[in-house]
Amino acid sequence: MNQPEQDQSPSFIPLDVYTKSKISSTAKVAGTVAILSISGTIISLIAYITKPSVRTGLAKEGFDDATLQMATQGSVVFVAFSVIVSAVLFYMLYSFAKFAQKGLATDDRRSLNKGLFHLATYFKVIAIIFLCALAFLFLSVLMMMLGAAA
């Protein structure tokens, strides 16, 4: 049997109209979510930078200045880490949206594959973050249990 000429093209996407429309709508939602997430990160960063620092005696709650400085530095590291992770997740999700829509609009298999690769990387990063959070949760529960047993 002879295949149609379009099927022999390396960039032709053999998907039906329904699947293409679902991928396209998913890419549109992903693009919107990516823009909203990076906007939220930028707003949080601005709020963190512009918030006034409390330096009254009552706010110390019995801690010395070195302890307060260490807590402040820890929150700066957490905010920086959060911004970096948010930027990476934004890039992956937005790239999926951009490449998937481009690939479906032009029937380009390479662009669609590149977009799906970015989506897969997005979920891998989310899974790594989730596993790290579970590990920290497990360790904190373990430490609380060991502290209660002592």
Side-chain angles (χ1 to χ4, degrees), residues 130-149:
F130 180 73
L131 290 175
C132 289
L134 279 179
F136 282 124
L137 180 66
F138 173 74
L139 287 175
S140 64
V141 168
L142 182 66
M143 292 299 167
M144 284 191 296
M145 290 173 61
L146 289 175

mmCIF file of all heavy atoms in Angstrom, residues 130-149:
data_model
loop_
_atom_site.group_PDB
_atom_site.id
_atom_site.type_symbol
_atom_site.label_atom_id
_atom_site.label_comp_id
_atom_site.label_asym_id
_atom_site.label_seq_id
_atom_site.Cartn_x
_atom_site.Cartn_y
_atom_site.Cartn_z
ATOM 1 N N PHE A 130 8.695 18.403 44.843
ATOM 2 C CA PHE A 130 7.767 17.677 45.705
ATOM 3 C C PHE A 130 8.498 16.635 46.550
ATOM 4 O O PHE A 130 8.241 16.514 47.757
ATOM 5 C CB PHE A 130 6.676 17.026 44.852
ATOM 6 C CG PHE A 130 5.668 16.259 45.656
ATOM 7 C CD1 PHE A 130 4.726 16.929 46.425
ATOM 8 C CD2 PHE A 130 5.664 14.875 45.634
ATOM 9 C CE1 PHE A 130 3.801 16.215 47.172
ATOM 10 C CE2 PHE A 130 4.738 14.157 46.373
ATOM 11 C CZ PHE A 130 3.813 14.833 47.149
ATOM 12 N N LEU A 131 9.418 15.909 45.936
ATOM 13 C CA LEU A 131 10.168 14.898 46.687
ATOM 14 C C LEU A 131 11.068 15.541 47.740
ATOM 15 O O LEU A 131 11.208 15.010 48.848
ATOM 16 C CB LEU A 131 10.986 14.035 45.729
ATOM 17 C CG LEU A 131 10.168 13.089 44.849
ATOM 18 C CD1 LEU A 131 11.074 12.361 43.856
ATOM 19 C CD2 LEU A 131 9.393 12.104 45.688
ATOM 20 N N CYS A 132 11.664 16.681 47.412
ATOM 21 C CA CYS A 132 12.480 17.395 48.411
ATOM 22 C C CYS A 132 11.617 17.873 49.570
ATOM 23 O O CYS A 132 12.013 17.779 50.736
ATOM 24 C CB CYS A 132 13.205 18.569 47.765
ATOM 25 S SG CYS A 132 14.545 18.073 46.667
ATOM 26 N N ALA A 133 10.435 18.373 49.268
ATOM 27 C CA ALA A 133 9.528 18.826 50.331
ATOM 28 C C ALA A 133 9.108 17.654 51.211
ATOM 29 O O ALA A 133 9.034 17.789 52.441
ATOM 30 C CB ALA A 133 8.308 19.513 49.724
ATOM 31 N N LEU A 134 8.827 16.503 50.599
ATOM 32 C CA LEU A 134 8.480 15.324 51.385
ATOM 33 C C LEU A 134 9.649 14.874 52.263
ATOM 34 O O LEU A 134 9.443 14.462 53.406
ATOM 35 C CB LEU A 134 8.052 14.178 50.471
ATOM 36 C CG LEU A 134 6.630 14.208 49.957
ATOM 37 C CD1 LEU A 134 6.374 13.003 49.047
ATOM 38 C CD2 LEU A 134 5.638 14.214 51.097
ATOM 39 N N ALA A 135 10.867 14.962 51.736
ATOM 40 C CA ALA A 135 12.041 14.579 52.525
ATOM 41 C C ALA A 135 12.206 15.505 53.719
ATOM 42 O O ALA A 135 12.467 15.045 54.840
ATOM 43 C CB ALA A 135 13.291 14.607 51.649
ATOM 44 N N PHE A 136 12.051 16.822 53.510
ATOM 45 C CA PHE A 136 12.145 17.760 54.627
ATOM 46 C C PHE A 136 11.028 17.529 55.635
ATOM 47 O O PHE A 136 11.248 17.614 56.841
ATOM 48 C CB PHE A 136 12.121 19.208 54.136
ATOM 49 C CG PHE A 136 13.423 19.667 53.570
ATOM 50 C CD1 PHE A 136 13.491 20.176 52.290
ATOM 51 C CD2 PHE A 136 14.593 19.594 54.319
ATOM 52 C CE1 PHE A 136 14.695 20.605 51.765
ATOM 53 C CE2 PHE A 136 15.797 20.019 53.808
ATOM 54 C CZ PHE A 136 15.860 20.525 52.517
ATOM 55 N N LEU A 137 9.839 17.220 55.161
ATOM 56 C CA LEU A 137 8.728 16.934 56.058
ATOM 57 C C LEU A 137 9.021 15.683 56.884
ATOM 58 O O LEU A 137 8.809 15.667 58.098
ATOM 59 C CB LEU A 137 7.438 16.762 55.259
ATOM 60 C CG LEU A 137 6.188 16.447 56.064
ATOM 61 C CD1 LEU A 137 5.818 17.636 56.946
ATOM 62 C CD2 LEU A 137 5.052 16.097 55.142
ATOM 63 N N PHE A 138 9.515 14.651 56.230
ATOM 64 C CA PHE A 138 9.860 13.417 56.936
ATOM 65 C C PHE A 138 10.938 13.672 57.986
ATOM 66 O O PHE A 138 10.837 13.201 59.126
ATOM 67 C CB PHE A 138 10.320 12.352 55.931
ATOM 68 C CG PHE A 138 10.840 11.110 56.585
ATOM 69 C CD1 PHE A 138 9.969 10.202 57.187
ATOM 70 C CD2 PHE A 138 12.202 10.847 56.628
ATOM 71 C CE1 PHE A 138 10.445 9.059 57.800
ATOM 72 C CE2 PHE A 138 12.692 9.706 57.235
ATOM 73 C CZ PHE A 138 11.810 8.807 57.824
ATOM 74 N N LEU A 139 11.964 14.425 57.613
ATOM 75 C CA LEU A 139 13.041 14.714 58.563
ATOM 76 C C LEU A 139 12.552 15.548 59.739
ATOM 77 O O LEU A 139 12.951 15.313 60.880
ATOM 78 C CB LEU A 139 14.195 15.430 57.855
ATOM 79 C CG LEU A 139 15.032 14.559 56.934
ATOM 80 C CD1 LEU A 139 16.064 15.410 56.193
ATOM 81 C CD2 LEU A 139 15.716 13.449 57.703
ATOM 82 N N SER A 140 11.673 16.508 59.474
ATOM 83 C CA SER A 140 11.166 17.333 60.582
ATOM 84 C C SER A 140 10.282 16.512 61.519
ATOM 85 O O SER A 140 10.365 16.662 62.741
ATOM 86 C CB SER A 140 10.416 18.552 60.051
ATOM 87 O OG SER A 140 9.277 18.159 59.339
ATOM 88 N N VAL A 141 9.465 15.625 60.969
ATOM 89 C CA VAL A 141 8.644 14.758 61.823
ATOM 90 C C VAL A 141 9.540 13.812 62.618
ATOM 91 O O VAL A 141 9.314 13.581 63.815
ATOM 92 C CB VAL A 141 7.616 13.973 60.972
ATOM 93 C CG1 VAL A 141 6.956 12.866 61.772
ATOM 94 C CG2 VAL A 141 6.571 14.913 60.406
ATOM 95 N N LEU A 142 10.572 13.294 61.988
ATOM 96 C CA LEU A 142 11.511 12.416 62.673
ATOM 97 C C LEU A 142 12.216 13.149 63.812
ATOM 98 O O LEU A 142 12.345 12.610 64.921
ATOM 99 C CB LEU A 142 12.533 11.863 61.678
ATOM 100 C CG LEU A 142 13.555 10.879 62.224
ATOM 101 C CD1 LEU A 142 12.859 9.593 62.652
ATOM 102 C CD2 LEU A 142 14.610 10.604 61.177
ATOM 103 N N MET A 143 12.630 14.373 63.573
ATOM 104 C CA MET A 143 13.297 15.156 64.616
ATOM 105 C C MET A 143 12.339 15.484 65.763
ATOM 106 O O MET A 143 12.741 15.469 66.932
ATOM 107 C CB MET A 143 13.876 16.453 64.027
ATOM 108 C CG MET A 143 15.018 16.224 63.095
ATOM 109 S SD MET A 143 16.351 15.417 63.976
ATOM 110 C CE MET A 143 17.383 14.925 62.654
ATOM 111 N N MET A 144 11.092 15.771 65.433
ATOM 112 C CA MET A 144 10.118 16.032 66.495
ATOM 113 C C MET A 144 9.864 14.789 67.321
ATOM 114 O O MET A 144 9.756 14.852 68.547
ATOM 115 C CB MET A 144 8.799 16.558 65.910
ATOM 116 C CG MET A 144 8.869 18.004 65.467
ATOM 117 S SD MET A 144 7.285 18.734 65.071
ATOM 118 C CE MET A 144 6.773 17.782 63.679
ATOM 119 N N MET A 145 9.796 13.640 66.667
ATOM 120 C CA MET A 145 9.580 12.397 67.384
ATOM 121 C C MET A 145 10.789 12.063 68.266
ATOM 122 O O MET A 145 10.618 11.613 69.396
ATOM 123 C CB MET A 145 9.289 11.257 66.422
ATOM 124 C CG MET A 145 7.934 11.377 65.748
ATOM 125 S SD MET A 145 7.658 10.157 64.453
ATOM 126 C CE MET A 145 7.773 8.636 65.351
ATOM 127 N N LEU A 146 11.981 12.292 67.761
ATOM 128 C CA LEU A 146 13.186 12.035 68.554
ATOM 129 C C LEU A 146 13.284 13.026 69.719
ATOM 130 O O LEU A 146 13.728 12.642 70.794
ATOM 131 C CB LEU A 146 14.434 12.122 67.686
ATOM 132 C CG LEU A 146 14.630 10.974 66.685
ATOM 133 C CD1 LEU A 146 15.826 11.246 65.798
ATOM 134 C CD2 LEU A 146 14.775 9.647 67.408
ATOM 135 N N GLY A 147 12.865 14.252 69.481
ATOM 136 C CA GLY A 147 12.884 15.241 70.560
ATOM 137 C C GLY A 147 11.849 14.938 71.629
ATOM 138 O O GLY A 147 12.088 15.149 72.824
ATOM 139 N N ALA A 148 10.712 14.420 71.235
ATOM 140 C CA ALA A 148 9.667 14.075 72.205
ATOM 141 C C ALA A 148 10.050 12.824 72.990
ATOM 142 O O ALA A 148 9.657 12.655 74.138
ATOM 143 C CB ALA A 148 8.342 13.862 71.492
ATOM 144 N N ALA A 149 10.814 11.932 72.360
ATOM 145 C CA ALA A 149 11.200 10.685 73.030
ATOM 146 C C ALA A 149 12.318 10.923 74.049
ATOM 147 O O ALA A 149 12.477 10.143 74.979
ATOM 148 C CB ALA A 149 11.664 9.660 72.001
#
